[in-house]
Amino acid sequence: MSGRLASFRGPSTPTSSPAQHKPQNPPASPSRQTESTFHRKTRTLLQELRSITETWDDLVLVDGLKAARELVDTRTDLDNALKLLPDNTPRTRLVVPKLAIMDTCIEKLDAVLVKLQKQFLRMNNVIDNLEMVLVDAHKVKGWQWVKQEPLWVTWSLENFVTRIPELIKPYHRSLALHVELVEKLRSHSITFEKSREVINMWVEQSWLEDAGWEAVWEDICEAEVERWGGA
């Protein structure tokens, strides 16, 4: 889709910063006086992106974290219990149930990865749909409306559509990191110290700290998209 968007880019550079919040609403631009289908589609797709990133965080910080912690805790309990057993004591009754729990935790982590991959694909599809909104708006409204007319406050439609793909890289890197972390936790020989490091990295989501939706786009949309909260 980026090749198709290239034809819409002129020599000027879109403003990268959102408008600041003010107690009074700024005067309505001509495009804001009556919302078009393009306004509504853009808001809906941006809200869908926010929903995807919220689901992402729930998968990582609720479902994934719970499974990872249970896996590490079960391994630690088993190691401690084995150390207390006298030599030549049968261990099957102790080990088998713990291994079953660990295997279940790994299955849950694999399921989280599958769901994260689906969210990432959804994110790409939404961004493609936003680009189609730009293409359609250019055909109907013309170059000036797409590139120069503020959609709601200060950002044009082109500004939204050309900036939003910046989300792809950090979420792709974050997905790759979670795949790597699950592979590390999969090994029953991993040490407790290393497991604790993996858990910390899982929670931090370092690739999203400065570039994820909450870090960048929520404030932009709050400032630039009318009725962003759904009111």
Side-chain angles (χ1 to χ4, degrees):
M1 294 292 289
S2 59
R4 179 170 59 219
L5 289 178
S7 62
F8 294 97
R9 297 196 180 99
S12 61
T13 302
T15 303
S16 59
S17 301
Q20 299 298 315
H21 288 286
K22 295 180 180 180
Q24 295 84 19
N25 290 328
S29 69
S31 66
R32 292 174 60 209
Q33 292 174 4
T34 302
E35 282 203 346
S36 67
T37 300
F38 305 116
H39 290 82
R40 293 188 290 272
K41 285 183 177 179
T42 301
R43 182 195 295 113
T44 297
L45 290 169
L46 290 171
Q47 289 173 336
E48 187 174 351
L49 280 174
R50 177 176 62 178
S51 176
I52 290 169
T53 62
E54 289 172 346
T55 300
W56 182 288
D57 285 342
D58 286 343
L59 288 169
V60 171
L61 300 177
V62 180
D63 299 350
L65 182 58
K66 180 180 178 181
R69 281 177 170 167
E70 184 179 6
L71 174 60
V72 173
D73 289 345
T74 303
R75 281 190 181 134
T76 302
D77 291 344
L78 178 59
D79 288 343
N80 292 337
L82 291 174
K83 290 176 183 178
L84 297 176
L85 287 178
D87 293 339
N88 300 322
T89 301
R91 303 185 177 193
T92 302
R93 289 185 179 180
L94 177 62
V95 172
V96 170
K98 296 291 187 182
L99 286 176
I101 295 173
M102 287 184 253
D103 288 342
T104 299
C105 292
I106 293 172
E107 290 174 0
K108 290 179 180 178
L109 287 170
D110 285 335
V112 166
L113 293 181
V114 170
K115 292 176 182 178
L116 288 177
Q117 289 167 348
K118 289 181 178 178
Q119 295 306 310
F120 183 69
L121 289 176
R122 283 186 61 203
M123 183 179 293
N124 279 270
N125 289 336
V126 170
I127 291 174
D128 283 347
N129 289 336
L130 269 171
E131 292 178 355
M132 285 304 303
V133 172
L134 178 63
V135 172
D136 292 341
H138 177 259
K139 293 177 182 178
V140 175
K141 296 284 191 176
W143 167 268
Q144 182 174 352
W145 192 90
V146 164
K147 184 176 179 60
Q148 298 178 3
E149 184 69 41
L151 199 58
W152 287 285
V153 184
T154 65
W155 277 32
S156 67
L157 176 58
E158 184 199 49
N159 206 161
F160 281 105
V161 176
T162 56
R163 283 285 308 278
I164 202 70
E166 295 171 7
L167 276 174
I168 294 296
K169 183 178 289 185
Y171 279 93
H172 184 261
R173 288 175 170 174
S174 184
L175 175 58
L177 176 61
H178 288 304
V179 171
E180 178 184 337
L181 295 178
V182 170
E183 286 305 309
K184 291 181 178 179
L185 289 175
R186 198 182 303 278
S187 171
H188 291 313
S189 63
I190 188 172
T191 64
F192 172 75
E193 290 74 16
K194 188 64 177 178
S195 296
R196 186 168 56 185
E197 291 177 10
V198 169
I199 295 292
N200 290 336
M201 293 176 67
W202 183 278
V203 173
E204 287 171 2
Q205 298 197 89
S206 58
W207 290 113
L208 305 184
E209 185 175 358
D210 297 320
W213 178 274
E214 189 65 30
V216 179
W217 281 94
E218 186 61 29
D219 286 344
I220 290 175
C221 290
E222 182 69 27
E224 288 289 339
V225 181
E226 281 194 348
R227 296 197 291 276
W228 175 245

